[in-house]
Coordinates of all heavy atoms in Angstrom, one line a residue:
K1 N 100.7 99.9 102.2 CA 100.5 98.5 101.9 C 100.0 98.4 100.4 O 100.1 97.3 99.9 CB 99.4 98.0 102.8 CG 99.8 97.7 104.2 CD 98.8 97.0 105.0 CE 99.3 96.7 106.4 NZ 98.2 95.9 107.2
H2 N 99.6 99.4 99.8 CA 99.0 99.3 98.5 C 99.6 100.3 97.4 O 100.0 99.8 96.4 CB 97.5 99.4 98.5 CG 96.8 98.5 99.5 ND1 96.7 97.1 99.2 CD2 96.3 98.7 100.7 CE1 96.1 96.5 100.2 NE2 95.8 97.4 101.1
L3 N 99.5 101.6 97.7 CA 99.9 102.6 96.7 C 101.4 102.5 96.4 O 101.9 102.4 95.3 CB 99.5 104.0 97.2 CG 99.9 105.1 96.2 CD1 99.3 104.9 94.8 CD2 99.5 106.4 96.8
D4 N 102.2 102.5 97.5 CA 103.7 102.5 97.3 C 104.1 101.2 96.5 O 104.9 101.3 95.6 CB 104.4 102.6 98.6 CG 104.4 104.0 99.2 OD1 104.0 104.9 98.5 OD2 104.7 104.1 100.4
P5 N 103.6 100.0 96.9 CA 104.0 98.8 96.2 C 103.6 98.9 94.7 O 104.3 98.4 93.8 CB 103.3 97.7 96.9 CG 103.1 98.2 98.3 CD 102.9 99.6 98.2
V6 N 102.4 99.4 94.4 CA 101.9 99.6 93.1 C 102.9 100.4 92.2 O 103.3 100.1 91.1 CB 100.5 100.1 93.0 CG1 100.2 100.7 91.6 CG2 99.5 99.1 93.4
I7 N 103.2 101.6 92.8 CA 104.1 102.5 92.1 C 105.5 101.8 91.9 O 106.1 101.9 90.8 CB 104.3 103.8 92.9 CG1 103.0 104.6 92.9 CG2 105.4 104.7 92.2 CD1 103.0 105.9 93.7
E8 N 106.0 101.2 92.9 CA 107.3 100.5 92.7 C 107.2 99.4 91.7 O 108.2 99.2 90.9 CB 107.7 99.9 94.1 CG 108.1 100.9 95.1 CD 108.2 100.4 96.5 OE1 108.0 99.1 96.7 OE2 108.4 101.2 97.5
A9 N 106.1 98.7 91.6 CA 106.0 97.6 90.6 C 105.9 98.2 89.2 O 106.5 97.6 88.2 CB 104.7 96.8 90.9
I10 N 105.2 99.4 89.0 CA 105.2 100.0 87.7 C 106.6 100.5 87.3 O 107.0 100.5 86.2 CB 104.1 101.1 87.8 CG1 102.7 100.5 87.9 CG2 104.2 102.0 86.5 CD1 101.6 101.6 88.0
I11 N 107.3 101.1 88.3 CA 108.7 101.5 88.0 C 109.5 100.4 87.5 O 110.3 100.5 86.5 CB 109.3 102.1 89.3 CG1 108.6 103.5 89.7 CG2 110.8 102.3 89.1 CD1 109.1 104.1 91.0
E12 N 109.4 99.2 88.2 CA 110.2 98.1 87.7 C 109.7 97.6 86.4 O 110.6 97.3 85.5 CB 110.0 97.0 88.8 CG 110.8 95.7 88.4 CD 110.8 94.7 89.5 OE1 110.1 94.9 90.5 OE2 111.3 93.6 89.3
K13 N 108.4 97.5 86.2 CA 107.9 97.0 84.9 C 108.3 97.9 83.7 O 108.6 97.4 82.6 CB 106.4 96.9 84.9 CG 105.8 96.2 83.7 CD 104.3 95.9 83.9 CE 103.8 95.2 82.7 NZ 102.3 94.8 82.9
K14 N 108.3 99.2 83.9 CA 108.6 100.2 82.9 C 110.1 100.5 82.8 O 110.5 101.3 82.0 CB 107.8 101.5 83.0 CG 106.3 101.3 82.7 CD 105.6 102.6 82.9 CE 104.1 102.6 82.5 NZ 104.0 102.5 81.0
D15 N 110.8 99.9 83.8 CA 112.3 100.2 83.9 C 112.6 101.7 84.0 O 113.4 102.2 83.2 CB 113.0 99.6 82.7 CG 114.5 99.5 82.9 OD1 114.9 99.6 84.1 OD2 115.2 99.5 81.9
L16 N 111.8 102.3 84.9 CA 112.0 103.8 85.0 C 113.2 104.1 85.9 O 113.5 103.4 86.9 CB 110.7 104.4 85.7 CG 109.4 104.2 84.8 CD1 108.2 104.6 85.7 CD2 109.5 105.0 83.5
S17 N 113.8 105.3 85.6 CA 114.9 105.7 86.4 C 114.5 106.7 87.5 O 115.0 106.7 88.6 CB 115.9 106.5 85.5 OG 116.3 105.8 84.4
I18 N 113.4 107.4 87.2 CA 112.9 108.4 88.2 C 111.4 108.7 87.9 O 111.0 108.7 86.8 CB 113.7 109.7 88.2 CG1 113.3 110.7 89.3 CG2 113.7 110.3 86.8 CD1 114.2 111.9 89.4
V19 N 110.7 108.9 89.0 CA 109.3 109.3 88.9 C 109.1 110.6 89.7 O 109.5 110.7 90.8 CB 108.3 108.2 89.5 CG1 106.9 108.7 89.5 CG2 108.4 106.9 88.7
I20 N 108.6 111.6 89.0 CA 108.4 112.9 89.6 C 107.0 113.2 89.9 O 106.1 112.8 89.2 CB 109.0 114.0 88.5 CG1 110.4 113.7 88.2 CG2 108.8 115.4 89.1 CD1 111.0 114.5 87.0
D21 N 106.8 114.0 91.0 CA 105.4 114.4 91.3 C 104.9 115.3 90.3 O 105.5 116.4 90.1 CB 105.4 115.1 92.7 CG 104.1 115.4 93.2 OD1 103.1 115.5 92.4 OD2 103.9 115.6 94.5
G22 N 103.9 114.9 89.6 CA 103.3 115.7 88.5 C 102.8 117.1 88.8 O 102.7 118.0 88.0
R23 N 102.5 117.3 90.1 CA 102.0 118.6 90.5 C 103.1 119.7 90.5 O 102.9 120.9 90.4 CB 101.5 118.5 92.0 CG 100.2 117.7 92.1 CD 99.9 117.5 93.6 NE 100.9 116.7 94.3 CZ 100.8 116.4 95.5 NH1 99.8 116.8 96.3 NH2 101.8 115.7 96.1
M24 N 104.4 119.2 90.5 CA 105.5 120.1 90.5 C 106.2 120.2 89.2 O 107.1 121.0 88.9 CB 106.5 119.7 91.6 CG 105.9 119.7 93.0 SD 107.1 119.1 94.2 CE 106.1 119.1 95.7
A25 N 105.9 119.2 88.3 CA 106.6 119.1 87.0 C 106.1 120.2 86.1 O 104.9 120.6 86.1 CB 106.4 117.7 86.4
R26 N 106.9 120.7 85.3 CA 106.6 121.7 84.2 C 107.0 121.0 82.9 O 108.2 120.8 82.6 CB 107.3 123.0 84.4 CG 106.9 123.7 85.7 CD 105.4 124.2 85.6 NE 105.0 124.9 86.7 CZ 104.4 124.3 87.8 NH1 104.2 123.0 87.8 NH2 104.1 125.1 88.8
I27 N 106.0 120.7 82.0 CA 106.3 120.0 80.8 C 106.2 120.9 79.6 O 105.1 121.6 79.4 CB 105.3 118.8 80.6 CG1 105.4 117.9 81.9 CG2 105.6 118.0 79.4 CD1 104.3 116.8 81.9
G28 N 107.3 121.0 78.8 CA 107.3 122.0 77.7 C 106.5 121.5 76.5 O 106.0 122.3 75.7
K29 N 106.5 120.2 76.3 CA 105.7 119.7 75.1 C 105.2 118.3 75.5 O 105.7 117.6 76.4 CB 106.7 119.6 73.9 CG 107.9 118.7 74.1 CD 108.8 118.8 72.8 CE 110.0 117.9 73.0 NZ 110.8 117.9 71.8
K30 N 104.3 117.8 74.6 CA 103.7 116.5 74.9 C 104.7 115.4 74.6 O 105.4 115.4 73.6 CB 102.5 116.3 73.9 CG 101.8 114.9 74.2 CD 100.6 114.8 73.3 CE 99.9 113.5 73.4 NZ 99.5 113.2 74.8
V31 N 104.8 114.5 75.6 CA 105.8 113.4 75.5 C 104.9 112.1 75.8 O 104.3 112.0 76.8 CB 106.9 113.5 76.5 CG1 107.8 112.3 76.4 CG2 107.7 114.8 76.4
S32 N 105.0 111.2 74.9 CA 104.2 110.0 75.0 C 104.7 109.1 76.2 O 105.9 109.0 76.4 CB 104.2 109.2 73.7 OG 105.5 108.8 73.4
N33 N 103.7 108.5 76.9 CA 104.0 107.6 78.0 C 104.7 108.3 79.2 O 105.3 107.6 80.0 CB 104.8 106.4 77.5 CG 104.1 105.6 76.4 OD1 102.9 105.4 76.5 ND2 104.9 105.2 75.4
L34 N 104.6 109.6 79.3 CA 105.3 110.3 80.4 C 104.5 110.2 81.7 O 105.1 109.9 82.7 CB 105.5 111.7 80.0 CG 106.2 112.6 81.1 CD1 107.6 112.1 81.4 CD2 106.3 114.1 80.7
D35 N 103.2 110.4 81.6 CA 102.3 110.4 82.8 C 101.8 109.0 83.0 O 101.1 108.4 82.2 CB 101.1 111.3 82.5 CG 100.3 111.6 83.8 OD1 100.3 110.8 84.7 OD2 99.7 112.7 83.9
I36 N 102.1 108.4 84.2 CA 101.7 107.1 84.6 C 100.6 107.1 85.6 O 100.2 106.1 86.2 CB 102.9 106.3 85.2 CG1 103.4 106.9 86.5 CG2 104.0 106.1 84.1 CD1 104.4 106.0 87.2
T37 N 100.0 108.3 85.8 CA 98.9 108.4 86.9 C 97.8 107.4 86.6 O 97.3 106.7 87.6 CB 98.4 109.8 86.9 OG1 99.5 110.7 87.1 CG2 97.4 110.0 88.0
D38 N 97.2 107.3 85.4 CA 96.1 106.5 85.1 C 96.5 105.0 85.4 O 95.7 104.2 85.8 CB 95.6 106.7 83.7 CG 94.9 108.0 83.5 OD1 94.4 108.6 84.6 OD2 94.8 108.5 82.4
D39 N 97.7 104.6 85.0 CA 98.2 103.3 85.2 C 98.2 103.0 86.7 O 97.8 101.9 87.2 CB 99.6 103.1 84.7 CG 99.7 103.1 83.2 OD1 98.7 102.8 82.6 OD2 100.7 103.5 82.7
V40 N 98.6 103.9 87.5 CA 98.7 103.8 89.0 C 97.3 103.6 89.5 O 97.0 102.7 90.4 CB 99.4 104.9 89.7 CG1 99.3 104.8 91.2 CG2 100.9 105.0 89.3
I41 N 96.3 104.4 89.1 CA 95.0 104.4 89.6 C 94.3 103.0 89.2 O 93.7 102.4 90.1 CB 94.1 105.5 89.0 CG1 94.6 106.9 89.5 CG2 92.6 105.3 89.3 CD1 94.0 108.1 88.9
D42 N 94.5 102.6 88.0 CA 93.9 101.3 87.5 C 94.5 100.1 88.4 O 93.8 99.2 88.8 CB 94.2 101.1 86.1 CG 93.4 102.0 85.2 OD1 92.4 102.6 85.7 OD2 93.8 102.2 84.0
A43 N 95.8 100.2 88.6 CA 96.4 99.1 89.4 C 96.0 99.1 90.8 O 95.8 98.1 91.4 CB 97.9 99.2 89.3
L44 N 95.9 100.3 91.4 CA 95.5 100.5 92.8 C 94.0 100.0 93.0 O 93.7 99.3 93.9 CB 95.6 101.9 93.2 CG 95.3 102.2 94.7 CD1 96.2 101.4 95.6 CD2 95.4 103.7 95.0
D45 N 93.2 100.3 92.0 CA 91.8 99.9 92.1 C 91.7 98.4 92.0 O 90.8 97.8 92.7 CB 91.0 100.5 90.9 CG 90.7 102.0 91.1 OD1 91.0 102.5 92.2 OD2 90.3 102.6 90.1

């Protein structure tokens, strides 16, 4: 009722193609605006 709709809304707002579980992602270098976790937490709160 809350988390999935929030993530879907952020995907739509940012026009994202894909969202990956960060626990499994391996990032080679810093990429700006890649991690949306804090955005999700703020919106969920």
Side-chain angles (χ1 to χ4, degrees):
K1 291 188 177 182
H2 304 288
L3 179 58
D4 287 349
V6 160
I7 293 176
E8 290 167 5
I10 292 176
I11 289 174
E12 182 176 357
K13 185 170 184 178
K14 289 180 174 287
D15 192 23
L16 298 172
S17 305
I18 184 171
V19 175
I20 302 171
D21 187 340
R23 293 171 297 180
M24 302 176 184
R26 295 294 181 269
I27 304 170
K29 60 181 180 179
K30 181 175 177 61
V31 181
S32 61
N33 300 322
L34 179 63
D35 192 332
I36 63 170
T37 304
D38 289 339
D39 291 332
V40 172
I41 292 173
D42 291 343
L44 183 60
D45 287 349

